[in-house]
Amino acid sequence: MQYTRKPERRRRSTLRRASLAVALLVGAVPGAVMTSQANAVTPVGSNPAKYLGTWNYDLPNRTTMRNIAVISGQPTVEIPQIGWIVFSDNADGSVTGRTDQGCTWNFEVRADSLDLAGSQSCFNHVVGSAYTITDWTVRVSGHHENESLTAISHLPTGDRDFVLQDGARTKTGRDDDSTQRFVGGWTYAPANPQTLQNIVATYGPGGSVTYSAETGTVAFAKIGDGTVAARTPDGCTWNLRVQGNTAELQPAVQTCELTDSTATLTFWSIASDGRQQDSVIAGTDVANGQTSAFSLSVGNMSSDLPR
């Protein structure tokens, strides 16, 4: 989402640099740029039609662990999964899955599922970490999809296991206009360094890394069918396109001129059920001739309106 860079940062509490290894674990979030070829696809021979289209992750549920991935290590980190995937069929009978963060995955069509066609590796530019998915199974019933996957997150501190046992998505295109899930004021929950909730990582010149708590209220207003504008505490306004329960930047890169800096968002994905929002944000700041990158990988807000 949007950020007030320098003035806002001074009001935030800086966290210990020791948190870096934990924050980097976020790099296992699915959706990135493919960096290695998958194994050859050998379609099994089933009809892929029911899988085709755009599917959004349902709002993560921290109680049931639905759409919550677990990354091993000390401490263990739980990462909510949000965003969309588009499944399309290929001439050879296989299926390609393209995620909102730019990754392309190859799947075999089996009798009752889609299965990842061999291990496939990506580098996630949103959070700056590489990972390999080793298994990914997708099953569909009507407009609902369930999935599970296992992966390895490749970090400077070593490889970590990444597991999503209970993934759930809903197919988009059924709602005429779901902007009301987003309209109104939304306030960030208290930041938590242990879970990374509402913790912003800022990567400055020379490899410096600082951590700060994201706070304040964001106001969302409908500006058109399927489109909302989000005004952040720094006074910037960002436009997002809504499909089903998910809103993402449109256009994909947006810039805001602040008093002493320039903020650019390169990614913002939000899942909402009208009462809670989960989000992933990435961008850059330019101030005093210096450029820094920032990311919020476990964003969480609550609606200020009765629903």
Side-chain angles (χ1 to χ4, degrees):
M1 160 177 89
Q2 228 150 339
Y3 290 87
T4 303
R5 306 325 303 167
K6 299 302 178 184
E8 186 73 9
R9 283 278 159 70
R10 295 192 191 102
R11 294 197 297 270
R12 292 171 178 159
S13 60
T14 300
L15 304 178
R16 294 183 305 167
R17 184 182 177 88
S19 302
L20 174 59
V22 175
L24 287 174
L25 290 173
V26 177
V29 175
V33 176
M34 183 71 72
T35 58
S36 66
Q37 295 292 329
N39 295 341
V41 177
T42 307
V44 174
S46 184
N47 186 356
K50 66 180 179 180
Y51 302 102
L52 306 183
T54 302
W55 301 80
N56 292 340
Y57 273 120
D58 298 336
L59 189 76
N61 187 318
R62 291 165 174 79
T63 300
T64 66
M65 295 298 287
R66 172 156 286 191
N67 288 337
I68 302 292
V70 177
I71 303 176
S72 66
Q74 295 297 327
T76 296
V77 180
E78 297 176 356
I79 305 296
Q81 303 298 284
I82 65 173
W84 50 256
I85 190 167
V86 178
F87 289 119
S88 57
D89 57 346
N90 301 313
D92 65 356
S94 64
V95 166
T96 293
R98 178 176 58 85
T99 69
D100 54 353
Q101 292 186 27
C103 188
T104 299
W105 307 96
N106 297 316
F107 289 85
E108 295 177 343
V109 183
R110 300 196 178 272
D112 62 352
S113 67
L114 290 180
D115 288 275
L116 194 70
S119 296
Q120 299 173 37
S121 298
C122 295
F123 185 87
N124 190 324
H125 288 287
V126 174
V127 294
S129 182
Y131 65 100
T132 299
I133 295 183
T134 55
D135 294 286
W136 189 355
T137 296
V138 175
R139 291 184 171 88
V140 165
S141 176
H143 291 279
H144 298 283
E145 178 249 76
N146 291 98
E147 62 186 60
S148 60
L149 66 84
T150 59
I152 302 169
S153 185
H154 307 297
L155 307 172
T157 56
D159 289 350
R160 302 290 181 87
D161 292 335
F162 174 99
V163 178
L164 176 64
Q165 291 186 334
D166 185 12
R169 301 184 193 250
T170 298
K171 193 171 187 178
T172 66
R174 303 181 66 198
D175 296 333
D176 292 333
D177 185 3
S178 19
T179 52
Q180 289 305 311
R181 294 172 184 255
F182 296 87
V183 170
W186 295 79
T187 299
Y188 280 100
N192 186 329
Q194 271 62 55
T195 65
L196 303 183
Q197 175 173 282
N198 294 333
I199 297 297
V200 179
T202 301
Y203 307 90
S208 64
V209 184
T210 58
Y211 300 90
S212 55
E214 185 59 282
T215 61
T217 297
V218 181
F220 287 81
K222 179 178 178 177
I223 57 174
D225 289 343
T227 308
V228 295
R231 186 173 179 82
T232 47
D234 53 14
C236 292
T237 299
W238 314 96
N239 294 333
L240 300 100
R241 181 69 178 172
V242 178
Q243 292 189 86
N245 74 331
T246 302
E248 297 199 346
L249 285 177
Q250 190 178 70
V253 178
Q254 299 177 34
T255 298
C256 177
E257 297 293 337
L258 301 168
T259 301
D260 60 354
S261 64
T262 299
T264 298
L265 288 189
T266 55
F267 189 83
W268 188 5
S269 180
I270 310 169
S272 173
D273 66 355
R275 291 180 288 273
Q276 294 289 319
Q277 285 188 8
D278 285 289
S279 60
V280 176
I281 303 166
T284 60
D285 271 329
V286 179
N288 301 319
Q290 300 282 358
T291 299
S292 59
F294 61 88
S295 64
L296 173 64
S297 297
V298 188
N300 179 258
M301 293 191 287
S302 296
S303 175
D304 295 341
L305 299 176
R307 303 279 181 169

